[in-house]
Amino acid sequence: MCVRYEAMFKVPDHIKVLLKELSTQPGIYKMLDKDKQVIYVGKAKNLRKRVKSYFQTKKDLSPKVAVMREKIVTIECTITRSELEALVLETNLIKSMRPRYNILMKDDKSYVYVKISREEDFPEINIVRRFERNSKFHYFGPYTSRDTIFKTLKGLQKMFPFRTCEGEIREEVPGQNVYQHLSRRAPCLEYYIKRCQAPCISKVTKTEYQQNIQAISNILKGNYDELIQDWQSTMQQAVNDKAFEIAARYRDRLQALQELSKKQYATLTSGHNQDVLAVAKDADQAVIALFMVRQGHVIQTEHFNLSDYSKDHNEEQLLSAFIEQYYSEAASLPDEVVVSTDFSPENKKLLEQFLSTIRDKKVGILMPERGEKRQLIDMVTENAQLQLENNKKNWQKEQTHSSQAIVTLQQALGMKTPPHRIECYDISHIQGTNKTGSMIVFIDGKPESKLYRRFHIESLAEGVNNDFASLQEVLTRRIRYLDELYRAKKKRRREKVDTMSLPERPDLIIIDGGKGQLSSVVKALKAEVKGGLKVELPLIISLAKREEEIFFPGKSIPLLLPKDTPVFFLIQRIRDEAHRFAIKGHRNLRSKKMVKSKLDTISGIGPKLKKKLLQAFGSVPGIREATFEDIVKVVGSKTAERIREML
């Protein structure tokens, strides 16, 4: 297939000119499509040589490159001082732009970190989704499962109580704390169930509280040996001093920590700080398993699914891309990274420089052939393969459920064929303000977020609350758009076109509402058809929220689907997704209007002039208080007069 494709492909003339003008220096290149979207970002030691390689005739050309280069309209390059600098820039661009054809970590926005303040007297422990290399905070992670790390922190809170309330607490003098945001006279429930030591009412000193935070940090780091030695020493001292309550407390902590270690962590004799990476891939997907080893303990295991185009790359390419993306956002870096495949000397050296620069300390990359590390690599590889198989099983299970739900829905609605494209519509507003209509799309039972659309309601004045009219407007605009597509396609082909073949046409439309909303929408759409629209209307139903009743046009008795079935959950999921998308659009619109400045209402003042005024006077009140002469110096006399009139 690739050979036939090669014979068909011809490098466009403007690309040929561009290739000749490329620099031979190191740098990064961005490939853009006809919509000016970046579809691929790469780095190169020699830009001209690397970019030219995409357009040369090769029998072993990968399917990804064959598809990608057909879409390339232009190429943008940035020269850097070194290949390492190009690698750093490439990593940052991939993270921010997420180009379609790059190797990407799937769902990387959902990864979480544990965040602890370094500067507060009584710091909180939070789970966050953003990581910053900031000396004010200590981070642990990333973790792929928020639930898992949440349960871990809850377990640690039983041994080492810490506060969960918000706001800074300072200790002015030992035992006399000042709470900045709340004025508490009594501790919250967490204190009474022994999950917090109530620093808000001075029940614990800064030193005592910080000991608990340090213990939690050590456990998250994997410093068990240090903790065990310290606790054993403290327990023995308490026994000698006949402080048996304190001794019992540390005894319980030791037992809990030893039990935790037995259940969750493997111990290695080497005692190294290292991350172990292994990749598993097949024809459809790729997975990377990571074991984090600290002080000889495997303290964390994670699995990362890679993007669809990853399957076209070899193991070295996958691990290289993962190392670049993962460690640019990792809270801690090890002394060495142990990998399941050997790297080329040049690539290995570059990645070691990259990691060492981030850590500010040397980091090595190793591919062991024997010994304990080889055994560990084999175990991590086996875990990666197991995760790959589980992903397949879950995907097949989801496909089966989706197929069953679609077929059952077809039968329940009396449709001739299973609905391939389902659209659902909802309206969101507050007392008729900032009205937003949403259209979400499910293809074969799965959401296709790239096809989602929002509609601003134009026919109703701000503050007018009429869901019936809003839905009529949204669906009418949708059907008119379908009719335009139909006419354009018919004119282009000069032959009769079956509207069912148009991919834009839904097989089923669902309205979030009851019988009244459905009747008003169907009436409006039928009037459009009578008015000359040629497009055939799809089946339209509505879904009432209380009992999940499905209403049909012209029928008074609704359909009730059996609960706890795949088709029932599918309908619920579609409706909830439309509701979520509509609310999000409404909130975005409301936020934009709330931050709108009074300056935006004055004619002749655009973004640049607005910025200039705010830089000169600080705020709208500052402009109002300024003298006319001062305003004239910034914007001129005519505009200054309009500003004085409006403000």
Side-chain angles (χ1 to χ4, degrees), residues 575-587:
R575 193 271 317 282
D576 292 345
E577 180 69 357
H579 192 56
R580 178 200 66 79
F581 190 61
I583 289 176
K584 185 178 179 181
H586 162 73
R587 286 175 178 167

Side-chain angles (χ1 to χ4, degrees), residues 145-412:
S145 172
R146 186 189 185 281
D147 291 340
T148 299
I149 192 59
F150 179 78
K151 290 176 182 177
T152 299
L153 290 177
K154 281 297 181 183
L156 291 173
Q157 193 181 20
K158 295 178 182 179
M159 292 192 289
F160 313 103
F162 59 86
R163 69 187 185 98
T164 55
C165 55
E166 296 181 356
E168 183 181 359
I169 302 176
R170 290 197 321 233
E171 184 178 64
E172 299 294 336
V173 294
Q176 297 181 20
N177 305 334
V178 178
Y179 199 31
Q180 296 297 298
H181 296 290
L182 295 174
S183 178
R184 288 191 183 275
R185 296 181 180 178
C188 64
L189 178 63
E190 294 286 306
Y191 171 74
Y192 294 105
I193 62 175
K194 298 182 179 180
R195 298 290 188 272
C196 179
Q197 295 170 301
C200 56
I201 57 168
S202 305
K203 288 288 186 180
V204 62
T205 65
K206 171 185 173 181
T207 303
E208 293 171 326
Y209 188 90
Q210 289 282 2
Q211 286 175 350
N212 283 356
I213 296 298
Q214 187 59 47
I216 292 172
S217 297
N218 283 335
I219 289 175
L220 293 175
K221 290 177 184 176
N223 296 339
Y224 303 115
D225 296 338
E226 181 182 330
L227 272 178
I228 290 172
Q229 291 175 6
D230 184 44
W231 292 351
Q232 286 176 339
S233 176
T234 305
M235 182 180 67
Q236 188 59 50
Q237 185 62 45
V239 170
N240 295 338
D241 296 340
K242 297 185 179 180
F244 298 114
E245 288 186 6
I246 296 176
R249 189 190 311 157
Y250 279 94
R251 177 204 62 199
D252 294 342
R253 287 183 177 182
L254 280 166
Q255 291 175 350
L257 184 60
Q258 289 167 353
E259 187 64 25
L260 187 68
S261 300
K262 285 180 184 178
K263 288 182 178 180
Q264 299 186 17
Y265 304 105
T267 302
L268 305 174
T269 58
S270 61
H272 284 231
N273 290 345
Q274 56 195 200
D275 284 354
V276 187
L277 302 175
V279 61
K281 62 189 289 288
D282 59 15
D284 300 315
Q285 56 181 320
V287 170
I288 286 183
L290 180 148
F291 276 33
M292 187 181 292
V293 182
R294 299 293 182 269
Q295 307 298 328
H297 298 275
V298 180
I299 67 166
Q300 184 182 335
T301 62
E302 302 286 355
H303 296 92
F304 300 88
N305 298 322
L306 302 184
S307 57
D308 295 338
Y309 286 104
S310 302
K311 60 180 182 286
D312 298 330
H313 297 80
N314 59 40
E315 290 191 17
E316 181 184 358
Q317 292 170 327
L318 294 177
L319 286 171
S320 296
F322 176 81
I323 287 172
E324 293 170 24
Q325 294 178 50
Y326 175 80
Y327 287 107
S328 64
E329 295 186 347
S332 65
L333 274 75
D335 296 330
E336 64 182 9
V337 177
V338 184
V339 294
S340 59
T341 188
D342 207 1
F343 284 9
S344 67
E346 186 177 354
N347 190 26
K348 178 183 175 183
K349 182 180 178 181
L350 181 62
L351 288 173
E352 286 178 337
Q353 289 177 342
F354 174 72
L355 296 174
S356 301
T357 301
I358 296 174
R359 192 190 182 203
D360 201 21
K361 188 178 179 181
K362 186 177 179 181
V363 179
I365 295 177
L366 174 68
M367 202 288 282
E369 296 182 357
R370 62 181 69 85
E372 184 183 71
K373 292 180 182 178
R374 181 70 249 180
Q375 294 174 1
L376 187 57
I377 275 289
D378 292 339
M379 182 173 68
V380 179
T381 302
E382 188 176 342
N383 274 267
Q385 190 63 43
L386 184 62
Q387 181 67 25
L388 190 71
E389 293 172 3
N390 287 338
N391 287 350
K392 271 190 169 183
K393 290 177 182 178
N394 292 335
W395 180 82
Q396 291 170 352
K397 185 177 180 181
E398 185 180 350
Q399 285 290 103
T400 301
H401 280 194
S402 297
S403 300
Q404 289 177 351
I406 289 295
V407 171
T408 307
L409 183 63
Q410 172 205 347
Q411 296 170 349

Side-chain angles (χ1 to χ4, degrees), residues 62-77:
S62 71
K64 183 196 81 169
V65 174
V67 173
M68 180 184 73
R69 71 179 188 178
E70 190 77 40
K71 299 181 179 181
I72 297 172
V73 172
T74 187
I75 302 169
E76 296 178 357
C77 295

Side-chain angles (χ1 to χ4, degrees), residues 548-562:
E548 312 295 349
E549 298 171 316
I550 296 177
F551 288 94
F552 294 86
K555 295 184 180 180
S556 58
I557 300 176
L559 170 68
L560 290 175
L561 294 172

